[in-house]
Amino acid sequence: LNEAEEILDEDHYGLKKVKERIIQQLAVMALNKKQSGSILLFVGAPGTGKTSIGQSIARALHRKYVRISLGGIRDEAEIRGHRRTYIGAMPGRIMEGMKRSKAQNPVMVLDEVDKLAKDYGGDPASALLEVLDPEQNSTFHDNYLDIDYDLSHVMFIATANNLNTISQPLLDRMELIEVSGYIQEEKVEIAAKHLVPKEAEIHGLNKKDVKLPKKTIQAIIESYTRESGVRELDKKIAKLMRKLAFKKASDEVLPSQIKPEDLHDYLGPVEYTRDKYQGNAYAGVVTGLAWTAVGGEILFVETSLSKGKGGKLTLTGNLGDVMKESAMLALEYIHAHAALFGIAEDMFENWNVHIHVPEGAIPKDGPSAGITMVTSLVSAFTQRKVKSNLAMTGEITLRGKVLPVGGIREKILAAKRAGINEIILCKENQKDIDEI
């Protein structure tokens, strides 16, 4: 087990929960002497190392490694094999994999389970049910072999980017393990330990040719990438290596080390600017926190009032239905509790309200802007500015109850990057904080 742990740590930085679960599985197998129960399904954004973790597990177990890509497979016979009466009949991918591995107990990675397609040739996702059910797969029937084959010794690992497209019975067979994105500190370590040496070798450079201090790697991550995984980062490092390789091949003198200010020459102008906290100079502007597929973001909710009869509410900023409803809820709640906030009743009749969430071209939706909108509205109506360096996230009900939301880890990291020191959350999100 210690050796397995070392191998996993050597190949992957971070991913603590994932490694823990794998080591537990290995411990059970060590005691039980046979492949035990559950089939693991790694779910996460592209580039977070789901497929390569399967390779590490095979190495840790000293077993053969087989990878079967399921993306776009739409014929059931690809899994179960064709009957031998057909011309060009072949065994299914599973048996082909077993043949390639020349072993009865390989580690088999079923890549991209969420990208299986359906066709008149049957539903391959349904054919996978037999493969992935530990109760059934000891008698897996391949149409080409036409005999039952025992798959119970195989360690199956599945990967997916998105759970919505996986059928419920198939999901039921597997144990979900979230491979969440890496935080900036982890990415810096991954780049220093794995990506830079790998790319240097690919581009024919020695260790002494390439000196990338951690400050520079951090600058690449902040200014040139925006993602959960590290694939984009890998590409940027490769781009930098190509320029160094060109210099070396042209017998130019290589720089002793690449500083953050040199990146412009190697990678071009900055591609992304991090959202910075913009201060609290105006009433009605509040900092909210949002979860996106590439990590957390901070966003601003702005409210302005203009004279006008009837108290019209205008919403802009490419908001989805949930956020529009949050804004209506927020206004209704304040209207009902005007006395509580010391807002005069006639304010609502004589002023039109406009709520805007900047970067109007980017679609935004999600259930975590409720309290931000309430705070923004109250701030605009009372003309009191919001406390500086403060961000918030949480959904609201019509009674003014704040509900817990997800993506807390990413949101806290976004706030940290933007230089915010205080965050308001629902009390029920305490469990997420303890985990972090």
Side-chain angles (χ1 to χ4, degrees), residues 299-359:
L299 51 84
F300 302 96
V301 175
E302 307 173 340
T303 301
S304 78
L305 305 177
S306 55
K307 274 263 188 249
K309 281 275 174 247
K312 196 162 84 34
L313 172 66
T314 311
L315 301 171
T316 52
N318 206 342
L319 306 181
D321 291 343
V322 179
M323 277 178 91
K324 282 179 185 162
E325 287 181 1
S326 288
M328 280 154 35
L329 265 171
L331 189 59
E332 207 47 57
Y333 171 73
I334 293 167
H335 203 150
H337 297 80
L340 191 71
F341 301 114
I343 301 169
E345 274 298 326
D346 60 347
M347 282 283 284
F348 299 100
E349 297 305 314
N350 302 326
W351 294 87
N352 289 332
V353 180
H354 186 139
I355 298 177
H356 176 63
V357 183
E359 292 199 41

Side-chain angles (χ1 to χ4, degrees), residues 36 90 113 122 214 221 324 355:
S36 67
M90 285 168 70
V113 179
K214 288 193 174 170
I221 293 165
K324 282 179 185 162
I355 298 177

Side-chain angles (χ1 to χ4, degrees), residues 76-328:
E76 187 190 325
E78 293 274 351
I79 307 288
R80 276 222 185 100
H82 304 258
R83 292 235 163 79
R84 271 175 297 191
T85 49
Y86 295 109
I87 291 174
M90 285 168 70
R93 298 271 175 119
I94 304 291
M95 293 316 298
E96 276 293 321
M98 296 302 289
K99 193 170 94 180
R100 273 207 316 271
S101 74
K102 299 187 170 64
Q104 205 191 348
N105 63 348
V107 171
M108 197 174 276
V109 174
L110 304 172
D111 231 354
E112 314 289 3
V113 179
D114 54 335
K115 312 224 174 20
L116 281 169
K118 238 184 189 167
D119 192 5
Y120 60 87
D123 180 6
S126 308
L128 263 186
L129 295 178
E130 185 186 2
V131 177
L132 295 181
D133 192 334
E135 305 296 317
Q136 296 174 30
N137 67 10
S138 53
T139 56
F140 171 68
H141 191 87
D142 186 289
N143 293 331
Y144 185 82
L145 298 181
D146 209 15
I147 50 169
D148 290 345
Y149 186 87
D150 185 0
L151 285 177
S152 63
H153 302 291
V154 181
M155 184 170 187
F156 286 106
I157 289 165
T159 75
N161 298 133
N162 181 359
L163 289 182
N164 303 340
T165 49
I166 303 177
S167 68
Q168 203 47 52
L170 191 55
L171 255 185
D172 223 29
R173 302 284 197 287
M174 302 184 274
E175 184 182 339
L176 262 187
I177 296 183
E178 292 254 350
V179 183
S180 61
Y182 297 107
I183 62 177
Q184 193 176 350
E185 287 79 353
E186 287 177 334
K187 283 185 186 175
V188 170
E189 290 298 325
I190 291 166
K193 285 184 181 166
H194 301 285
L195 305 181
V196 173
K198 182 189 88 177
E199 289 299 341
E201 194 181 320
I202 289 171
H203 290 82
L205 298 163
N206 309 327
K207 264 190 181 162
K208 57 178 187 294
D209 292 338
V210 182
K211 287 211 168 51
L212 271 183
K214 288 193 174 170
K215 275 239 161 51
T216 310
I217 295 174
Q218 202 168 335
I220 297 175
I221 293 165
E222 277 191 3
S223 306
Y224 294 92
T225 67
R226 183 163 282 188
E227 54 169 357
S228 291
V230 288
R231 220 169 254 158
E232 188 68 24
L233 176 59
D234 197 20
K235 286 178 194 161
K236 295 295 179 217
I237 291 172
K239 187 176 177 182
L240 194 143
M241 296 291 177
R242 282 197 295 275
K243 298 245 169 125
L244 286 177
F246 173 73
K247 283 189 173 180
K248 188 177 178 182
S250 318
D251 293 331
E252 283 183 41
V253 180
L254 292 177
S256 58
Q257 66 167 340
I258 294 167
K259 300 189 180 75
E261 49 269 25
D262 304 337
L263 287 177
H264 190 280
D265 304 336
Y266 288 93
L267 299 176
V270 168
E271 289 175 32
Y272 300 103
T273 50
R274 279 278 165 240
D275 293 321
K276 288 280 178 278
Y277 174 66
Q278 294 174 1
N280 64 334
Y282 304 96
V285 178
V286 185
T287 310
L289 298 170
W291 179 91
T292 67
V294 296
E297 296 280 335
I298 65 170
L299 51 84
F300 302 96
V301 175
E302 307 173 340
T303 301
S304 78
L305 305 177
S306 55
K307 274 263 188 249
K309 281 275 174 247
K312 196 162 84 34
L313 172 66
T314 311
L315 301 171
T316 52
N318 206 342
L319 306 181
D321 291 343
V322 179
M323 277 178 91
K324 282 179 185 162
E325 287 181 1
S326 288
M328 280 154 35

